[in-house]
Amino acid sequence: MRVRLEDVARAAGVSPKTVSRVLNDEANVRGPTRERVLAAMAAMDYRPHPSARSLASNRSFLVAMLYDNPSSNYLTEIQAGVLDACDLHHYSMMVRPLLSEAEDFLERVGTLISHHRPDGLILTPPITDHPALPALLREQGVPYASVSPKQRDGAIGVGMDERLAAREMVNHLIALGHRRIAHVIGHPAHGASGWRLAGYSDALAAAGLPFDPALVIEGEFSFGSGVAAARRLFSLARRPTAVFAANDDMAAGVIWAAGEHGLSVPRDVSVCGFDDTPISRQIWPAITTIRQPSREMGRIAALQLLDVMRGRGQGRMVEVPFALQLRESTGPLPTAAPEAG
Amino acid sequence: MRVRLEDVARAAGVSPKTVSRVLNDEANVRGPTRERVLAAMAAMDYRPHPSARSLASNRSFLVAMLYDNPSSNYLTEIQAGVLDACDLHHYSMMVRPLLSEAEDFLERVGTLISHHRPDGLILTPPITDHPALPALLREQGVPYASVSPKQRDGAIGVGMDERLAAREMVNHLIALGHRRIAHVIGHPAHGASGWRLAGYSDALAAAGLPFDPALVIEGEFSFGSGVAAARRLFSLARRPTAVFAANDDMAAGVIWAAGEHGLSVPRDVSVCGFDDTPISRQIWPAITTIRQPSREMGRIAALQLLDVMRGRGQGRMVEVPFALQLRESTGPLPTAAPEAG
DNA sequence: TCGCAAATTGACAGCGCTGTCATTTTCCTC
DNA sequence: GAGGAAAATGACAGCGCTGTCAATTTGCGA
């Protein structure tokens, strides 16, 4: 038979309620008493019955993670991080894919809440930016934390400084001696595209390099758009010696096009991306890119949420550090072909 | 205040127990009674309290999905399918990453079971093939279903005929006129490698083509191993006109190496892969490959499990159909370079 | 050492549902 | 139409825990 709280109480010589207090880390339990109870719990390998706890306390010990994101790599990482945090505090996690554009989106969230009664929600992009969701959650009294929301003020969760990351990526190219550095912009609808372009400009300006519109080409985050952009860049009379693509897929496309033009990467041209998706390691040369600590971000968002849920604080917006992943696709300025024409 | 089962009972003019019977789809409720209850439930928008149900019935209405798989695309799809099935029967799903090679693997599974008390488990590769897990689960009385286990006899779950799929892939190449068809084998430790190689042989034999060991090269499922294998193949005096790689990463490597050798795909050489991972669409030309209906497979595995859990049957091993994804990397035999030397 | 507030502990009911078993109703068969 | 089996329904306790509030113990100043 399963060990119950009552059994622990008997073994420790206290009332069930006291065991409950220890279990829930409540105040007003004397040190020695607490230790006796903890010892008994450990000795009997006691596991509280989650349903009984929920029923009695009207909490579910459940965190639901909402997503509508085609990038499974990203999602799986975030999910793993959220799980890490949930495990730490003995919460469960459920995942829920949703279509944020669908008409019945809010209704579905409502159903989720009334059905599973999660104690809190983790929102991931683009659900983070849904205009009407915050009102619904406030009304239902369900706390939530967001991962990389566009609007950071007043939000609880986690984010990364993409603009600064892009800037440092370009700084890296400049440090390698590059002066003619091209940029392939991402899909115009994504906030990330703007942040990354801004970081590119920041770096050029800081290094006193001119911003040359001919070197800035619009892509749309796809491999094919990277190929197309690179074909234009490599056909220029004074072609760039380095290309910063706004994501890894486009960087892979640029590398492809380089091969097409008889250019060796990184000997003749350096290429870098953003996101550190698997494709950056699956092709050769492996792409220098920016890594988001996605798992860590999931963990942090969940920890902020748990703080709020457990009444341990207000929660805040945490900024995490990015990391340059230096790989084989970037190298020193080609000496045989100095950029000064 | 929340609507409870008792409220529904009062509204329908029956006892709570009868409402419970309707809720759980039990026998021995007269048609009209059932309808009255269902009507009352709908009118009051009744949602059973999951914890109360669990506590009273000693079931958790929870399915846990165990994984230890680096391919997030695959996982996310399987997960979505499992969720589909769980939603259908009002079960919740939790996900749990594990290290199947870790020493404490079994212990961790035990902890999961005693902590969350799932009513059933979904196992995904390679956890499906863990030698000691079935014994533990039987001992704990936790039913489970497997996705693509090596050992199919007596197992419950879902699988795909990879050997036949490989055979049809090669048949496609033969139908295009190819006669010198190479194969890049996968990592020797994976069962899939053997199945796919066998399918390759089957197709050759059925077409009366010789099996040429020089055209069969060991890879290890990585991009790099595909490049290495292709370099050897393209250096042969009589090089193959088509290459069937055992997965998409290696196919991408083969395409890369083709460019290196000045070969155009598919004009000079056709290349195909297996798995339909994103890389098959992210590079150019997009790779002809085999699609596993992963989401459907997750759904089916979960449905089999639910059948068992709900005492609706024994469950069985379902075989799902694969699908050839014809893309741009395969084409007719080059007319300028007939294989007859 | 006594008295009182504060800290600690415990008794008990009840969270919302289902299992068990008793009771009532229905449906046959003769 | 009576009798009996089977089907349908209901009464009631209790799943394992926590909230509320009462009882007890402790700590501390006078």
Side-chain angles (χ1 to χ4, degrees):
Chain A
M1 193 52 197
R2 181 191 178 83
V3 177
R4 286 156 311 144
L5 182 141
E6 189 191 336
D7 305 321
V8 175
R10 199 173 306 116
V14 297
S15 76
K17 180 66 218 189
T18 296
V19 178
S20 170
R21 286 194 178 92
V22 173
L23 188 63
N24 291 288
D25 210 23
E26 285 173 23
N28 298 338
V29 178
R30 225 176 306 242
T33 310
R34 184 181 298 274
E35 270 156 40
R36 249 192 3 264
V37 171
L38 287 173
M41 281 183 178
M44 306 173 82
D45 192 28
Y46 168 67
R47 324 264 185 170
H49 194 302
S51 302
R53 295 230 282 172
S54 308
L55 183 58
S57 65
N58 201 28
R59 293 181 295 166
S60 63
F61 300 95
L62 217 204
V63 170
M65 172 177 149
L66 273 38
Y67 65 90
D68 173 18
N69 193 310
S71 169
S72 7
N73 300 294
Y74 178 70
L75 278 177
T76 318
E77 286 296 300
I78 295 282
Q79 181 175 299
V82 173
L83 258 176
D84 290 342
C86 288
D87 282 354
L88 199 64
H89 292 289
H90 301 292
Y91 271 67
S92 316
M93 182 196 72
M94 63 174 302
V95 291
R96 177 65 37 174
L98 290 165
L99 299 171
S100 58
E101 307 272 81
E103 275 188 30
D104 61 351
F105 171 77
L106 288 176
E107 194 184 316
R108 280 178 183 275
V109 175
T111 302
L112 167 75
I113 292 173
S114 74
H115 196 103
H116 297 280
R117 343 207 108 251
D119 289 339
L121 299 181
I122 298 285
L123 309 183
T124 59
I127 290 176
T128 39
D129 303 321
H130 191 284
L133 187 55
L136 172 68
L137 299 182
R138 237 189 313 279
E139 177 197 320
Q140 299 265 341
V142 181
Y144 63 95
S146 304
V147 177
S148 295
K150 278 191 188 157
Q151 179 59 50
R152 307 255 162 123
D153 297 344
I156 291 169
V158 68
M160 195 185 90
D161 191 339
E162 302 202 16
R163 179 171 181 164
L164 184 60
R167 177 177 176 165
E168 296 206 359
M169 181 90 265
V170 175
N171 278 153
H172 162 67
L173 296 172
I174 294 172
L176 286 169
H178 296 278
R179 293 296 173 269
R180 287 186 62 73
I181 301 171
H183 179 51
V184 185
I185 311 180
H187 192 105
H190 285 57
S193 305
W195 292 330
R196 293 168 195 186
L197 172 60
Y200 165 78
S201 304
D202 291 348
L204 294 188
L209 295 174
F211 179 97
D212 181 350
L215 295 182
V216 176
I217 302 200
E218 277 209 5
E220 50 178 16
F221 280 146
S222 68
F223 180 91
S225 70
V227 172
R231 281 178 180 155
R232 288 175 55 192
L233 289 170
F234 295 150
S235 304
L236 291 176
R238 290 179 64 224
R239 61 171 172 76
T241 63
V243 180
F244 166 43
N247 79 345
D248 292 339
D249 278 6
M250 294 196 300
V254 172
I255 290 176
W256 178 270
E260 211 180 39
H261 282 252
L263 299 172
S264 160
V265 176
R267 208 189 52 216
D268 301 323
V269 61
S270 285
V271 178
C272 56
F274 204 108
D275 285 346
D276 194 24
T277 50
I279 198 174
S280 68
R281 274 155 283 142
Q282 280 167 353
I283 70 166
W284 191 90
I287 303 173
T288 291
T289 187
I290 295 281
R291 198 178 99 76
Q292 288 199 54
S294 305
R295 182 168 185 159
E296 183 64 10
M297 290 174 80
R299 210 175 69 87
I300 289 173
L303 287 175
Q304 294 301 314
L305 177 64
L306 284 159
D307 270 2
V308 176
M309 279 163 39
R310 310 194 316 142
R312 292 290 198 279
Q314 295 301 303
R316 58 190 193 90
M317 177 58 61
V318 177
E319 186 127 297
V320 293
F322 48 84
L324 250 66
Q325 289 290 327
L326 299 183
R327 301 215 178 91
E328 288 77 40
S329 70
T330 50
L333 182 71
T335 49
E339 88 289 7
Chain B
M1 191 52 196
R2 181 193 178 81
V3 177
R4 287 158 310 145
L5 181 139
E6 189 190 337
D7 304 321
V8 175
R10 200 174 305 116
V14 297
S15 74
K17 179 67 216 190
T18 297
V19 178
S20 169
R21 285 194 180 92
V22 172
L23 188 65
N24 292 287
D25 209 24
E26 287 174 21
N28 299 338
V29 178
R30 225 176 305 244
T33 310
R34 182 180 300 274
E35 270 156 40
R36 252 194 358 267
V37 172
L38 287 174
M41 282 182 177
M44 308 175 80
D45 192 28
Y46 168 68
R47 323 263 185 171
H49 193 302
S51 302
R53 294 231 282 173
S54 307
L55 184 59
S57 65
N58 200 28
R59 292 181 295 166
S60 62
F61 300 94
L62 216 203
V63 170
M65 174 177 146
L66 273 38
Y67 66 89
D68 172 20
N69 194 310
S71 170
S72 11
N73 300 293
Y74 178 72
L75 279 177
T76 319
E77 287 295 301
I78 295 281
Q79 181 175 302
V82 173
L83 258 176
D84 289 343
C86 288
D87 281 354
L88 199 64
H89 293 288
H90 302 291
Y91 272 68
S92 314
M93 182 195 73
M94 63 174 301
V95 292
R96 177 65 37 174
L98 290 165
L99 300 172
S100 58
E101 307 271 81
E103 273 188 32
D104 62 352
F105 172 76
L106 288 176
E107 194 184 316
R108 280 179 182 274
V109 174
T111 302
L112 167 75
I113 293 174
S114 73
H115 196 102
H116 297 279
R117 341 208 109 250
D119 288 340
L121 299 181
I122 298 285
L123 309 184
T124 59
I127 290 176
T128 40
D129 303 321
H130 191 283
L133 187 56
L136 171 69
L137 299 181
R138 238 189 311 279
E139 177 196 320
Q140 300 266 342
V142 181
Y144 63 96
S146 305
V147 177
S148 296
K150 276 191 188 159
Q151 179 59 49
R152 308 253 161 124
D153 296 345
I156 290 169
V158 68
M160 196 185 88
D161 191 338
E162 302 201 16
R163 179 171 182 165
L164 185 60
R167 178 175 174 166
E168 295 205 358
M169 182 89 266
V170 175
N171 278 154
H172 161 68
L173 295 172
I174 293 172
L176 286 169
H178 296 277
R179 293 297 174 267
R180 288 185 62 74
I181 301 171
H183 178 52
V184 185
I185 310 179
H187 190 107
H190 284 56
S193 305
W195 292 330
R196 293 169 194 187
L197 172 61
Y200 165 77
S201 304
D202 291 348
L204 293 187
L209 295 175
F211 179 96
D212 182 350
L215 294 183
V216 177
I217 301 200
E218 279 209 4
E220 49 179 19
F221 279 144
S222 69
F223 181 90
S225 69
V227 172
R231 281 179 180 155
R232 288 175 55 191
L233 290 169
F234 295 150
S235 304
L236 292 176
R238 293 178 63 225
R239 62 172 172 76
T241 63
V243 180
F244 166 42
N247 79 344
D248 292 339
D249 279 5
M250 293 196 300
V254 172
I255 290 176
W256 177 271
E260 211 181 40
H261 283 251
L263 299 171
S264 160
V265 177
R267 207 189 54 216
D268 302 322
V269 60
S270 284
V271 178
C272 56
F274 204 109
D275 286 344
D276 196 24
T277 51
I279 198 174
S280 68
R281 275 155 283 140
Q282 280 167 352
I283 69 167
W284 190 89
I287 303 174
T288 290
T289 187
I290 296 282
R291 199 178 97 76
Q292 288 200 52
S294 306
R295 181 167 186 162
E296 183 65 11
M297 289 174 80
R299 211 176 68 88
I300 290 174
L303 287 175
Q304 294 302 315
L305 177 64
L306 284 159
D307 271 2
V308 175
M309 279 162 40
R310 310 193 317 142
R312 291 292 198 278
Q314 295 302 301
R316 59 191 192 88
M317 176 57 61
V318 177
E319 186 125 300
V320 293
F322 49 85
L324 250 66
Q325 289 291 326
L326 298 182
R327 300 214 178 90
E328 289 77 39
S329 69
T330 50
L333 184 69
T335 49
E339 88 289 6

